């Protein structure tokens, strides 16, 4: 396959790089670009899409900078007081941070303090949106943002009153932050949370004194519109021929937001959508399929009859879909479903069918394409190569750009060697998606696709590019012998780096690597150092959330040979033993059973704790092993264990139902 120089790749920004222009002080250019985009959005569907999607995407550099980004936005407002888009960008800034504080997505883990900050940001977003609409009555993006905001964070009373009566609050707004009576720790935590976005606890926010003239009356006939219904109506009054905003409205009509699919269908059939063509109406109907299926992936545990029905319904949707991307999306879902049931030939066939309709735009999809094509068609890379080129040229998939660059550089998978093109594609990937996980995904796919040399080379390149988890992957490659001789000592530096960067799996693997190396070490000092690192790595894995980190740490402490090292950890082990952790009980029993340790040795206490471990987890492998090593290793040991066991009363044995645990 001939590899031409990079074609014209779509810009990563819809309209412009807002943060770069803000840093350069190009405020007039920002106003000109966004004003032009707003005007075009009334006349062209592509321009509408670009403008609708622009601010969340184009503001990423600014929103990600937190308080510093906010300061740059306010410098824009100060330089151009009549700039509507300067205020609209601030509204989007605050809406972004409201979602950050509420944990994005379903917000299942958000704290009360997080919700407090989120509502404070939503207040700022609403005020900024009204300021923007005061300056530009055609700014439909402002009311569209309010529809999202009140759906997610409810509508504050002052805004409801502003819409109903046309009058703003007489006094400035203040945040309802519960600083009084807070503990010093909680107060410090809240202030740190506020500082991330630039919120100020004592801030007074001046609202518009009256409603912007562009806002319609909430009374429609005899019905008073409120909340998201009002803001949807207001947006459509400003721009009656919108499509992409209506698709967003559909999301908030789904069952998860208290609506229903019947309501979605009725809305599409209503006069509100009469201006849409058939393809656009079908694009709205497609949201029903997405709500039912998109995030519900099939796996091998699902009932076969359920899977058959889901696939049939999705295949029907693929046949009905009038938009090419929806055909790709549904067929790719079927491909993933086949893969989840280990039906790999069917998965590849469906993936090929999907790719006909639209270029692959997803790193996971590209990695799956690499895996399946390399496994099932190792001698014929033609389809994969063409799919990589199409996807890379579409400019949406970093994995495709990486693969295009690598294959051009190395002349593999049917690509003709072309170093300039290869380096250019790789540089584009590094620039567009710094630190992306795509390097790791592709290298893993190549490994299991039987191309270990390419997997190792790509993972190495990914590590140099700062690719997410490439250190961890190279550790696995050295441990497992992927393209290199298996060598656990070579894996350790990669696992250590992953752990230092906050990866709990890296810390966990580092713990076991050090532990296993310690078993083979002949030098006692080296053995002790490795065991110490194993314990600390597992402690770190536990602190970073690895579910097996605590158990690993406790087991490794139980295997420490150096007596001073044991003494450093015995209180930690005892604490977890008293909480009923079986591995802690067994480890503590082992520490207490060594007669060489004059300070800790207490055989009766050791027996008591191993009996507690057996009571809590009788089938646990570590508990059985510690029993065998310390209490049943030989006839005399068994007799001694039996004798002491008889002397311990039932109420003395630690356990879940025992008051001493």
């Amino acid at each position: 396959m001939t590899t031409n120089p990079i074609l014209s790749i779509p810009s990563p920004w819809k309209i412009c790089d807002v943060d770069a222009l803000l840093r350069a002080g190009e405020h007039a250019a920002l106003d000109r670009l966004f004003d032009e985009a707003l005007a075009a959005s009334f006349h062209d569907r592509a321009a509408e899409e670009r403008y609708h999607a622009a601010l969340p995407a184009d503001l990423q550099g600014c929103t990600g900078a937190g308080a510093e980004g906010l300061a740059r936005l306010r410098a824009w407002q100060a330089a151009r007081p009549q700039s509507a888009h300067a205020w609209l960008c601030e509204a989007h800034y605050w809406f972004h941070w409201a979602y950050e504080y509420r944990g994005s997505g379903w917000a299942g883990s958000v704290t009360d303090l997080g919700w407090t900050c989120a509502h404070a940001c939503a207040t700022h977003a609403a005020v900024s949106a009204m300021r923007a609409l005061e300056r530009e009555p055609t700014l439909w993006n402002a009311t569209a943002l309010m529809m999202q905001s009140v759906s997610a964070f409810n509508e504050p009373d002052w805004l409801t009153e502003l819409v109903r009566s046309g009058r703003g609050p007489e006094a400035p707004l203040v945040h309802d932050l519960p600083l009084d009576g807070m503990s010093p720790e909680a107060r410090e935590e809240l202030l740190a949370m506020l500082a991330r976005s630039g919120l100020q606890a004592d801030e007074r926010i001046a609202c518009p004194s009256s409603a912007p003239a562009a806002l319609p009356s909430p009374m429609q006939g005899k019905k008073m519109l409120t909340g998201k219904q009002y803001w949807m109506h207001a947006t459509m009054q400003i721009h009656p021929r919108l499509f992409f905003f209506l698709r967003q409205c559909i999301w908030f009509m789904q069952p998860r937001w208290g609506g229903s699919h019947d309501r979605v269908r009725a809305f599409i059939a209503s006069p509100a959508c009469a201006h849409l063509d058939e393809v656009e109406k079908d694009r709205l109907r497609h949201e029903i399929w997405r709500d039912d299926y998109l995030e519900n992936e099939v796996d091998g545990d699902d009932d076969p009859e359920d899977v058959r029905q889901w696939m049939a319904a999705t295949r029907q949707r693929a046949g009905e879909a009038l938009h090419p991307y929806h055909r790709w999306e549904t067929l790719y879902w079927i491909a993933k479903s086949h893969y989840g049931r280990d039906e790999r030939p069917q998965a590849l066939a469906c993936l090929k069918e999907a790719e006909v309709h639209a270029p692959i735009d997803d790193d996971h999809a590209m990695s799956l394409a690499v895996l399946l094509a390399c496994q099932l068609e190792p001698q014929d890379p033609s389809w994969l190569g063409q799919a990589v080129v199409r996807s890379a040229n579409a400019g949406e998939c970093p994995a495709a750009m990486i693969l295009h660059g690598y294959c051009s550089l190395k002349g593999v998978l049917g690509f003709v060697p072309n170093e300039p093109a290869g380096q250019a594609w790789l540089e584009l990937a590094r620039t567009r998606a710094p630190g992306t996980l795509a390097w790791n995904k592709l290298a893993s796919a190549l490994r299991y696709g039987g191309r270990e040399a390419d997997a190792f080379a790509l993972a190495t390149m990914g590590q140099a590019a700062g690719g997410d988890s490439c250190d961890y992957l190279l550790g696995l490659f050295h441990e497992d012998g992927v393209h290199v001789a298996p060598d656990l000592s070579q894996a350790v530096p990669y696992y250590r780096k992953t752990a230092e960067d906050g990866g709990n799996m890296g810390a966990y693997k580092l713990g076991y690597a050090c532990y296993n190396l310690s078993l083979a070490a002949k030098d006692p000092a080296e053995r002790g150092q490795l065991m110490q690192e194993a314990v600390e790595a597992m402690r770190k894995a536990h602190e970073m959330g690895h579910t097996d980190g605590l158990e690993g740490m406790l087991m490794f402490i139980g295997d420490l040979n150096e007596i001073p090292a044991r003494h450093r950890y015995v209180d930690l082990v005892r604490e977890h033993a008293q909480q009923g952790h079986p591995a802690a009980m067994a480890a503590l029993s082992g520490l207490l059973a060594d007669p060489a340790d004059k300070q800790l040795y207490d055989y009766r206490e050791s027996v008591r704790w191993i009996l507690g471990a057996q009571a809590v987890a009788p089938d646990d492998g570590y508990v059985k092993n510690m029993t065998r090593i310390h209490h049943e290793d030989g006839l005399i040991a068994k007799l001694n264990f039996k004798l002491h066991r008889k002397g311990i009363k039932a109420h003395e044995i630690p356990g879940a139902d025992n008051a001493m645990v």
Side-chain angles (χ1 to χ4, degrees):
M1 181 177 300
T2 302
T3 54
N4 296 318
I6 295 180
L7 301 178
S8 178
I9 303 299
S11 167
W13 299 287
K14 303 292 184 181
I15 295 173
C16 63
D17 182 351
V18 173
D19 200 49
L21 291 175
L22 286 174
R23 289 174 181 273
E26 297 286 348
H27 303 129
L30 281 164
D31 277 323
R32 176 178 57 80
L33 289 168
F34 277 111
D35 288 346
E36 290 174 355
L38 171 62
S41 73
F42 284 88
H43 308 293
D44 178 76
R45 192 65 87 207
E48 177 205 324
E49 179 181 22
R50 184 165 58 254
Y51 182 68
H52 182 65
L55 287 172
D58 290 0
L59 271 170
Q60 283 183 358
C62 188
T63 53
E68 293 180 5
L70 176 62
R72 291 194 281 274
L73 288 172
R74 289 183 170 170
W76 179 10
Q77 294 167 5
R80 297 178 66 83
Q82 294 308 310
S83 170
H85 280 102
W87 281 99
L88 181 63
C89 284
E90 181 173 338
H92 276 272
Y93 172 92
W94 288 116
F95 184 70
H96 165 85
W97 275 99
Y99 258 87
E100 284 290 310
Y101 283 126
R102 63 157 272 177
S104 301
W106 291 101
S109 60
V110 66
T111 64
D112 288 341
L113 291 182
W115 275 116
T116 297
C117 292
H119 283 290
C121 287
T123 295
H124 271 296
V127 172
S128 298
M130 295 303 99
R131 293 293 189 195
L133 201 58
E134 281 182 325
R135 287 159 172 78
E136 176 49 67
T138 67
L139 202 61
W140 59 268
N141 198 308
T143 51
L145 181 66
M146 290 313 305
M147 192 278 294
Q148 293 183 71
S149 184
V150 301
S151 296
F153 303 105
N154 297 324
E155 187 173 81
D157 291 341
W158 68 266
L159 185 57
T160 302
E161 179 61 22
L162 180 76
V163 169
R164 187 190 67 80
S165 68
R167 296 188 301 274
E170 295 180 0
L173 300 173
V174 294
H175 297 311
D176 184 18
L177 300 175
L179 290 172
D180 294 338
M182 267 189 170
S183 67
E185 296 80 9
R187 181 185 179 89
E188 183 177 349
E189 180 185 358
L190 177 57
L191 292 176
M193 289 177 68
L194 296 176
R196 291 175 59 204
S197 65
L199 282 171
Q200 298 178 23
D202 57 353
E203 191 167 12
R204 299 173 68 81
I205 309 167
C207 289
S209 58
S210 60
L215 290 183
S217 169
M219 287 299 300
Q220 294 299 307
K222 296 182 179 180
K223 184 178 180 181
M224 171 77 77
L225 298 180
T226 59
K228 60 187 178 185
Q229 286 79 20
Y230 171 77
W231 293 106
M232 189 174 84
H233 169 72
T235 306
M236 293 299 293
Q237 287 294 299
I238 297 173
H239 189 338
R241 297 192 58 78
L242 287 168
F243 165 69
F244 292 97
F245 169 70
L246 295 184
R247 188 177 64 177
Q248 197 169 57
C249 294
I250 292 288
W251 300 343
F252 292 102
M253 296 179 189
Q254 302 284 17
R256 68 184 69 182
W257 289 94
S260 69
H261 292 161
D262 285 341
R263 181 181 174 190
V264 170
R265 294 185 185 95
F267 175 74
I268 296 169
S270 73
C273 297
H275 63 284
L276 302 178
D277 62 30
E278 289 308 310
V279 174
E280 290 169 338
K281 289 181 180 179
D282 189 68
R283 292 179 74 175
L284 296 185
R285 282 191 289 271
H286 189 72
E287 298 302 323
I288 296 174
W289 176 85
R290 283 179 169 166
D291 186 59
D292 274 337
Y293 293 99
L294 189 59
E295 297 176 0
N296 299 322
E297 296 188 356
V298 170
D299 59 41
D301 296 331
D302 289 316
D303 180 82
E305 179 57 25
D306 288 341
V307 172
R308 188 195 66 76
Q309 292 179 9
W310 299 337
M311 284 191 177
T314 300
R315 173 62 73 172
Q316 180 178 347
R317 173 87 280 260
E320 294 171 347
L322 301 180
H323 194 269
Y325 186 80
H326 293 169
R327 294 193 287 274
W328 146 261
E329 190 172 57
T330 46
L331 292 168
Y332 173 49
W333 187 91
I334 297 174
K336 286 191 293 182
S337 299
H338 281 302
Y339 179 73
R341 296 178 65 79
D342 203 26
E343 299 165 351
R344 300 196 174 199
Q346 297 93 320
L348 179 58
C350 204
L351 188 57
K352 287 183 176 182
E353 184 184 357
E355 198 268 341
V356 168
H357 298 286
I360 295 173
D361 69 338
D362 175 85
D363 289 341
H364 179 76
M366 181 55 69
S367 300
L368 183 61
V370 170
L371 174 66
L372 294 174
C374 289
Q375 284 182 341
L376 301 176
E377 299 177 346
Q379 305 305 320
D380 182 12
S382 57
W383 173 79
L384 179 59
Q386 292 167 7
V388 168
V389 170
R390 273 179 25 101
S391 178
N393 287 334
E396 297 292 337
C397 180
M401 299 176 193
I402 291 169
L403 203 56
H404 198 326
Y406 178 81
C407 292
S408 299
L409 201 63
K410 301 291 185 178
V412 296
L413 295 180
F415 283 71
V416 175
N418 185 333
E419 183 172 355
Q423 295 292 3
W425 277 109
L426 291 170
E427 179 58 27
L428 180 62
R430 288 189 288 263
T431 302
R432 285 288 185 88
T436 177
L437 187 63
W439 298 92
N440 177 296
K441 289 183 176 182
L442 287 172
S444 297
L446 288 166
R447 172 193 180 179
Y448 292 109
R451 303 185 66 97
E452 292 191 350
D454 292 320
F456 193 90
L458 195 63
T460 303
M461 293 171 67
Q463 183 204 22
D468 187 359
S469 301
C470 284
D471 290 302
Y472 174 73
L473 191 60
L474 285 167
L476 290 179
F477 285 0
H478 280 287
E479 181 176 355
D480 298 341
V482 176
H483 187 58
V484 291
D487 189 340
L488 199 53
S489 65
Q490 292 294 317
V492 163
Y494 294 107
Y495 291 149
R496 187 180 292 125
K497 179 65 166 60
T498 307
E500 289 170 354
D501 291 341
N504 65 24
M505 274 302 298
Y508 181 77
K509 293 290 288 185
L510 175 63
Y512 266 106
C514 290
Y515 176 77
N516 289 325
L517 287 170
S518 76
L519 298 180
K522 296 180 180 179
D523 178 52
E526 180 186 5
R527 186 184 309 119
Q529 182 178 353
L530 286 166
M531 277 301 300
Q532 179 77 18
E533 185 169 6
V535 171
E536 288 302 319
M538 280 301 186
R539 183 208 289 263
K540 190 169 185 177
H542 169 59
E543 291 172 349
M544 291 190 295
H546 196 290
T547 54
D548 296 325
L550 175 60
E551 183 177 53
M553 178 188 73
L554 295 168
M555 292 192 299
F556 292 168
I557 293 173
D559 280 0
L560 287 171
N561 289 320
E562 290 187 347
I563 290 176
R566 296 177 185 174
H567 292 176
R568 286 195 295 271
Y569 292 108
V570 66
D571 289 341
L572 176 64
V573 176
R574 193 184 302 276
E575 176 187 348
H576 288 287
Q578 290 171 343
Q579 293 171 2
H581 196 295
M585 293 178 171
L588 183 58
S589 175
L591 298 178
L592 297 170
D594 185 1
D597 189 342
K598 305 302 183 184
Q599 180 177 332
L600 291 183
Y601 179 67
D602 186 335
Y603 189 76
R604 185 182 188 279
E605 188 71 357
S606 172
V607 172
R608 191 174 76 86
W609 280 109
I610 202 65
L611 292 178
Q614 292 173 351
V616 172
D619 298 322
D620 184 85
Y622 180 67
V623 172
K624 289 181 177 180
N625 196 41
M626 293 296 279
T627 303
R628 179 183 58 79
I629 292 172
H630 295 288
H631 303 293
E632 295 180 345
D633 188 13
L635 179 61
I636 294 177
K638 289 181 180 179
L639 290 173
N640 192 31
F641 180 45
K642 183 177 181 180
L643 177 64
H644 280 81
R645 189 173 58 199
K646 287 183 177 179
I648 296 174
K649 307 301 182 185
H651 72 275
E652 295 183 85
I653 299 174
D657 299 325
N658 208 311
M660 69 176 62
V661 175

